């Protein structure tokens, strides 16, 4: 696994990534090693890395494409690596991808993220309005979680005026330590269900319902965010908690070779059940009808042709 340090990520490609950039994406034939590509994922312990590792393993079985999983801060960092040609693939939240739909293509819409806001059980925050004036981590720097969380807080009037939340951007391990130590009052995370790091906390946590932000979000960002729910008992609650959902896209550079795009489509369809992290709950896509729905990002031409070949 290729890992980017935070300093390396901020400065651009690190030495290891720069070296990887010299790898050719030429076709492979009998006797040659599989083509190597890099996929920008997310933080250790998160769904993005889990998905990347499962996709890597599925491709390894085919022997046609070797995938290196690159750990990053999240969606915005992944987009930067893709644009800088320091990754061939990137998993990105749909809201982040839509900021600039040019110069990128999609292999498919892979699954849904849940925007989750955790607070200490029995603490002073009983609802979203109680976040006013509180210490809030919106997610890692350059993450899609931070982008979405800021949009939610803005739509609720919590980033300006007398009730402004005190916002920080913490990596997952830092956020877990901060809420455990009562150094922050709430932490945002965008990912699949459940988040193992939360389940391992000694301090009890519970979710805050953020869905009162949806009407304003729909006005400003139509069609991007959906109403969903975190199933009951995911984090020990007795009832499902309404939540904000946002899709994830598997993006690629426009010059990704056609045969690699074909292999990716084949694996996404054939191995769909094996690409869902073990123990995951809630909505998972990875069906033909959903994979092709990547608007406003165009599908990679070879991926589009492959979907048509398989499904007409």
């Amino acid at each position: 696994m290729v890992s980017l340090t935070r300093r390396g990520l901020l400065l651009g490609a690190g030495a290891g990534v720069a070296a990887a950039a010299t790898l050719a994406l030429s076709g492979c034939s009998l006797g040659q090693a599989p083509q190597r590509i890099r996929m920008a994922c997310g933080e250790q312990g998160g769904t993005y890395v889990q998905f990347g590792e499962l996709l890597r393993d599925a491709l390894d079985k085919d022997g046609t494409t070797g995938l290196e999983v690159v750990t990053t801060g999240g969606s915005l960092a992944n987009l930067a690596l893709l644009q800088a040609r320091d990754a061939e693939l990137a998993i990105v939240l749909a809201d982040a991808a839509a900021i600039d739909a040019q110069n990128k293509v999609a292999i498919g819409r892979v699954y849904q993220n849940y925007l989750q806001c955790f607070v200490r059980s029995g603490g002073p925050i009983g609802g979203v309005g109680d976040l006013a004036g509180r210490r809030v981590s919106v997610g890692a720097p350059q993450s899609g979680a931070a982008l979405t969380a800021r949009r939610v807080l803005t739509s609720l009037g919590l980033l300006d005026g007398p009730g402004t939340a005190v916002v920080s951007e913490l990596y997952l391990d830092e956020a877990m330590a901060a809420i455990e130590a009562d150094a922050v009052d709430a932490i945002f995370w965008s990912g699949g269900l459940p988040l193992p790091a939360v389940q391992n906390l000694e301090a009890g946590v519970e979710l805050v319902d953020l869905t009162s932000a949806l009407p304003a979000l729909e006005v400003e960002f139509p069609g991007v965010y959906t109403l969903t729910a975190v199933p009951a008992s995911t984090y020990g609650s007795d009832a499902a908690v309404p939540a904000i959902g946002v899709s994830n896209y598997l993006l690629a550079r426009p010059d990704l070779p056609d045969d690699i795009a074909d292999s990716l489509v084949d694996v996404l369809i054939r191995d769909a059940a094996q690409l869902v992290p073990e123990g995951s709950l809630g909505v998972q896509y990875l069906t033909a009808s959903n994979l092709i729905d990547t608007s406003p990002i165009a599908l990679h031409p070879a991926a589009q042709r492959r979907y048509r070949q398989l499904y007409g």
Side-chain angles (χ1 to χ4, degrees), residues 144-235:
L147 170 69
T148 309
R150 287 181 185 277
R151 287 181 175 182
V152 167
L153 293 172
T154 297
S155 71
L156 295 171
L158 295 173
L159 286 189
D160 54 33
T164 300
V166 181
V167 171
S168 59
E169 294 184 344
L170 300 178
Y171 289 90
L172 181 59
D173 57 345
E174 298 170 336
M176 293 298 108
I179 200 164
E180 191 88 82
D182 202 20
V184 296
D185 300 301
I187 58 175
F188 280 82
W189 169 261
S190 183
L193 301 173
L195 174 60
V198 167
Q199 294 180 311
N200 296 332
L201 286 176
E202 291 185 12
V205 294
E206 56 191 43
L207 286 172
V208 174
D209 180 353
L210 304 170
T211 56
S212 58
L214 277 171
L217 289 171
E218 179 61 23
V219 170
E220 189 165 0
F221 310 103
V224 175
Y225 303 103
T226 60
L227 174 64
T228 185
V230 176
S233 77
T234 302
Y235 299 110

Side-chain angles (χ1 to χ4, degrees), residues 29-312:
S29 59
L30 187 63
Q32 291 183 321
Q35 301 174 76
R36 306 294 298 177
I37 56 174
R38 299 152 296 179
M39 177 176 168
C41 291
E43 295 185 80
Q44 288 286 5
T47 313
Y48 281 5
V49 168
Q50 291 177 301
F51 175 74
E53 291 171 342
L54 292 170
L55 183 61
R56 175 198 62 201
D57 294 344
L59 289 168
D60 282 347
K61 291 179 183 177
D62 286 352
T64 57
T65 303
L67 180 68
E68 297 182 35
V69 175
V70 181
T71 57
T72 73
S75 291
L76 298 181
N78 295 348
L79 285 170
L81 288 173
L82 202 65
Q83 185 175 19
R85 303 180 65 81
D86 290 321
E88 286 70 49
L89 297 176
I91 188 161
V92 177
L93 283 170
D95 55 354
I99 294 173
D100 178 10
Q102 305 301 313
N103 300 318
K104 63 178 77 77
V105 292
I107 301 299
R109 179 169 69 134
V110 288
Y111 62 87
Q112 175 176 265
N113 263 23
Y114 295 75
L115 183 66
Q116 300 160 68
C117 178
F118 298 98
V119 299
R120 293 174 69 94
S121 299
I125 301 175
V128 69
D130 297 329
L131 293 175
R134 298 289 180 179
R135 302 161 299 173
V136 177
S137 170
V138 294
Q142 295 188 295
S143 69
L147 170 69
T148 309
R150 287 181 185 277
R151 287 181 175 182
V152 167
L153 293 172
T154 297
S155 71
L156 295 171
L158 295 173
L159 286 189
D160 54 33
T164 300
V166 181
V167 171
S168 59
E169 294 184 344
L170 300 178
Y171 289 90
L172 181 59
D173 57 345
E174 298 170 336
M176 293 298 108
I179 200 164
E180 191 88 82
D182 202 20
V184 296
D185 300 301
I187 58 175
F188 280 82
W189 169 261
S190 183
L193 301 173
L195 174 60
V198 167
Q199 294 180 311
N200 296 332
L201 286 176
E202 291 185 12
V205 294
E206 56 191 43
L207 286 172
V208 174
D209 180 353
L210 304 170
T211 56
S212 58
L214 277 171
L217 289 171
E218 179 61 23
V219 170
E220 189 165 0
F221 310 103
V224 175
Y225 303 103
T226 60
L227 174 64
T228 185
V230 176
S233 77
T234 302
Y235 299 110
S237 61
D238 295 329
V241 179
I244 295 173
V246 57
S247 297
N248 281 297
Y249 293 161
L250 179 58
L251 301 183
R253 294 205 320 242
D255 62 350
L256 185 76
D258 289 359
D259 59 336
I260 294 181
D262 287 345
S263 296
L264 288 166
V265 169
D266 289 347
V267 165
L268 288 174
I269 293 172
R270 184 194 66 212
D271 298 327
Q274 287 70 48
L275 296 177
V276 177
E278 185 176 357
S280 291
L281 304 172
V283 177
Q284 305 295 337
Y285 296 133
L286 293 171
T287 61
S289 59
N290 284 307
L291 280 166
I292 62 174
D293 184 9
T294 59
S295 177
I297 310 299
L299 281 169
H300 186 292
Q304 186 176 47
R305 288 193 298 271
R306 188 60 177 154
Y307 285 123
R308 285 177 177 167
Q309 288 171 358
L310 293 172
Y311 293 102

